[in-house]
Amino acid sequence: MRRPYVVLAAFLLVLASLTASAQQWAKTRLDASPRHREYVTLKSNGRNVQAFVVYPEVSGKAPVIILIHEIFGLSDWAKEMADELAAAGYIVVAPDLLSGAGPSGGNSDSFTSMDATTKAVSGLNPDQVLSDLDAAADYARKIPASNGTFVTVGFCWGGGKSFAFAAHRKDLASAFVFYGPPPADFSTITAPVYGFYAGNDARIGATVPATIEGMKAAGKKYEPVTYDGAGHGFMRAGEDPTNTNPANEKARNEAFTRLNTLLKALPAAHASWAVPATTPVQAAGKAHATESTPECHSTTAGSM
């Protein structure tokens, strides 16, 4: 009678292993990074939210990026992207918006399949998500190394939440939306919104014309760019060694450069920080080439 349970347990173990290895390339790059990274525990309406934080190697105070993950949760790629942005000179706070929502109260890494992760992210309460992002933003403003300016950068599902947070949070400096849908109401947006879209993404691409008109009518700043030939998720796909669409890699590199240029153009009052001598792509490349990780990297969750 026990045999079916043994087979099921073995199947789940294999499935978990396949899920974990799907982004092994991203984990390998992250593990090679020389930058300090840690986990902190944020308080959001009485619940704990784990956040991944990466610090840049700069001499002065830096802006903070609130990175909002894809519908795949706080994956290895999301953490690796946080590290790449830190390499470009920014503090990055990436909240795990699935904190406590996984099996046995676990986080993103407790799910055994992408389908389960996607279903869980899709089912998150929008108000809870905004509250969690508020907690991340409040934490960002209090980081001693922060210059007080923070922005959101979201991808896919997180791109939509970056746009929605712009309609929610008045002290947001800028919102960067990577192939995410717009909110229903633009009237409360105060920060400029910059869009990054894929040419081969009919679902999200179809929302852009109406968003342009709606933001214009509301008197809001919205600057979208569409990358021809790229598919939805090109920031991740463009880095993936198994990618077979050259347009994804091209779009990824051009979008990263545009993002960094816009971040550098933040108001001068918040720009007194030292940018690394290398370009973002070069910095990321150096991180990927490093073979050892300093022992100072923390893996213990802290408190706000």
Side-chain angles (χ1 to χ4, degrees), residues 47 65 114:
R47 79 187 201 93
I65 293 172
M114 281 299 180

Side-chain angles (χ1 to χ4, degrees), residues 24-35:
Q24 183 60 42
W25 57 270
K27 185 178 185 302
T28 298
R29 294 175 182 177
L30 180 64
D31 288 345
S33 169
R35 280 164 290 285

Side-chain angles (χ1 to χ4, degrees), residues 4-17:
Y5 297 100
V6 172
V7 172
L8 176 61
F11 171 76
L12 291 176
L13 183 62
V14 170
L15 184 62
S17 176

Side-chain angles (χ1 to χ4, degrees), residues 28-183:
T28 298
R29 294 175 182 177
L30 180 64
D31 288 345
S33 169
R35 280 164 290 285
H36 176 81
R37 54 193 185 271
E38 61 190 23
Y39 290 92
V40 299
T41 300
L42 312 176
K43 294 294 184 180
S44 173
N45 280 341
R47 79 187 201 93
N48 293 332
V49 176
Q50 188 179 75
F52 180 69
V53 183
V54 192
Y55 285 87
E57 295 181 327
V58 295
S59 61
K61 294 189 175 186
V64 181
I65 293 172
I66 308 299
L67 187 149
I68 311 176
H69 58 67
E70 297 174 294
I71 202 166
F72 306 121
L74 189 62
S75 62
D76 288 327
W77 175 77
K79 296 176 187 177
E80 193 268 337
M81 174 53 68
D83 183 72
E84 287 198 47
L85 290 169
Y90 315 100
I91 302 168
V92 184
V93 177
D96 186 348
L97 298 170
L98 281 177
S99 293
S104 301
N107 304 326
S108 285
D109 57 4
S110 68
F111 288 89
T112 57
S113 73
M114 281 299 180
D115 185 62
T117 303
T118 300
K119 190 175 296 183
V121 172
S122 299
L124 288 174
N125 183 303
D127 292 334
Q128 176 181 292
V129 172
L130 290 177
S131 176
D132 291 353
L133 294 176
D134 272 332
D138 293 341
Y139 175 80
R141 295 187 64 188
K142 297 175 183 177
I143 296 175
S146 165
N147 67 8
T149 293
F150 69 94
V151 303
T152 53
V153 176
F155 305 91
C156 179
W157 175 87
K161 296 307 177 183
S162 179
F163 216 147
F165 196 62
H168 168 77
R169 186 86 180 202
K170 302 299 183 185
D171 55 348
L172 183 68
S174 296
F176 299 91
V177 177
F178 284 82
Y179 31 85

